[in-house]
Amino acid sequence: MVRFASNIFVHVGRAFLAGCRAVGRISVFAAEGVSHLARPPFYFREFYQALLSIGFFSLPVVGLTAFFTGGALALQIYAGGSRFSAESAVPSIVAIGMARELGPVLCGLMVAGRVASSIAAELGTMRVTEQIDALVTLDTNPSKYLVAPRIAAATLAMPVLAGIGDIVGIFGGYVVGVSRLGFNPSSYLQTTTQFLETADVVSGLVKAAVFGFIVAVVGCYHGMNSERGAKGVGRATTNAVATSSVLIIATNFALTELFFAA
C-alpha cells in the first residue's frame, strides 16, 4: 500500500515538473519572439500574409459562429427569463454577454482551431523538410522571420475579429428577438445601447488581443519544435489546438477576475 501511494506521488510529481518545464519553454519562446518585434529588420511581407490568413480569412467562421450564438443566447435568456417575468432583459444580457465573454472567447476558440493548427502544420512541415535549417544557413533568424510577424498579426487581428463578432452576435440576437420573440425593433436597439457600457466592449477587445497572442505563440512553438515525419507534424498540430484552447479558457477566467472582480 505504501509502495502504491509512493508511486502515485512519483507520477504526479513527474507530471507537475514536466508541466513546469513546458510553461518555461513556451515563456522563453514567447519572450524571444516579442523581443524581435522591437529590433529591425521587420518582415512586412510575412506580416501582411499572416494578417490576411489570420484576420480576413477567419471572418466567415467567426461571423457565422457569432450570429447563431447570439440568436441561441436570445432564445435561452427569453426562456429562462419568462419564469421570472424578466423577458425584457434579453437585449441587454445578449449585448453584455457577447461583448464581455462569448464574443472574444468564441472568436479565440474558432481562430485557435483554424489558425493555430495551420501555423503548427506550416512550420512543422518547414522543420521536417529542413527549410528552417536553410534559413539559418542564409543568415536569417527563423524566430524573427517566422514567429514575430505571426505574433504581431494575430495580436492585432483578433480584437478586430472579436469586435465584428460582437456586432454580428448582437445582430443575431436582434433578428431572433424581433422575428421570433415579438420585440419591438426600436425598443430592442434602445435597450441594447442603454445598458452596454464602454468597459464591457474594451474588456472584450483586450481579451481578444491576449487570445490572439496565445494562439500565435502556441502554434509557432509546436510547429518550430515538431518532431520528424508526418506523425510529428500531426502531433504538433493537435497539441497546438488543444493547448491554445485550454489556455484561452484559463486566461479568460483570469482576465474576467481582473476586470470584473468586486
Side-chain angles (χ1 to χ4, degrees):
M1 187 67 180
V2 174
R3 187 175 183 180
F4 177 75
S6 64
N7 288 336
I8 292 178
F9 285 114
V10 167
H11 291 302
V12 171
R14 188 175 298 157
F16 177 77
L17 292 177
C20 291
R21 285 194 296 268
V23 171
R25 286 194 295 266
I26 293 178
S27 299
V28 171
F29 181 85
E32 181 182 1
V34 172
S35 69
H36 286 301
L37 293 174
R39 292 177 291 173
F42 185 76
Y43 296 95
F44 285 98
R45 182 174 181 177
E46 288 294 315
F47 170 77
Y48 176 71
Q49 291 177 346
L51 199 63
L52 278 180
S53 175
I54 296 170
F56 182 75
F57 293 126
S58 296
L59 278 174
V61 65
V62 170
L64 287 172
T65 302
F67 180 84
F68 289 111
T69 299
L73 186 61
L75 290 174
Q76 291 284 13
I77 295 171
Y78 185 85
S82 62
R83 303 177 186 177
F84 311 100
S85 300
E87 299 92 336
S88 60
V90 169
S92 57
I93 296 178
V94 169
I96 294 172
M98 289 300 303
R100 283 188 179 186
E101 291 293 325
L102 292 177
V105 171
L106 289 176
C107 179
L109 293 177
M110 291 300 103
V111 172
R114 182 186 176 277
V115 174
S117 59
S118 174
I119 292 175
E122 181 182 0
L123 299 188
T125 302
M126 293 181 69
R127 170 67 69 186
V128 169
T129 56
E130 298 182 350
Q131 295 180 51
I132 294 179
D133 296 333
L135 289 175
V136 176
T137 303
L138 295 172
D139 198 25
T140 300
N141 190 311
S143 183
K144 178 177 284 293
Y145 184 75
L146 298 174
V147 177
R150 286 169 172 80
I151 291 177
T155 305
L156 294 176
M158 278 291 289
V160 178
L161 287 174
I164 295 174
D166 292 344
I167 296 171
V168 174
I170 293 172
F171 176 71
Y174 168 83
V175 170
V176 172
V178 171
S179 62
R180 294 275 291 111
L181 305 178
F183 281 89
N184 181 273
S186 59
S187 64
Y188 189 102
L189 293 176
Q190 182 179 3
T191 305
T192 298
T193 56
Q194 181 180 359
F195 288 95
L196 188 63
E197 299 179 355
T198 303
D200 301 326
V201 179
V202 171
S203 66
L205 298 182
V206 171
K207 285 182 179 182
V210 175
F211 297 161
F213 178 81
I214 290 173
V215 167
V217 168
V218 172
C220 290
Y221 173 80
H222 285 288
M224 295 286 282
N225 293 278
S226 172
E227 298 175 359
R228 300 289 180 178
K231 286 187 177 180
V233 176
R235 190 177 297 111
T237 304
T238 303
N239 291 339
V241 176
T243 304
S244 57
S245 298
V246 172
L247 286 178
I248 284 172
I249 298 298
T251 306
N252 177 64
F253 172 79
L255 293 176
T256 302
E257 181 72 19
L258 177 66
F259 289 137
F260 303 107

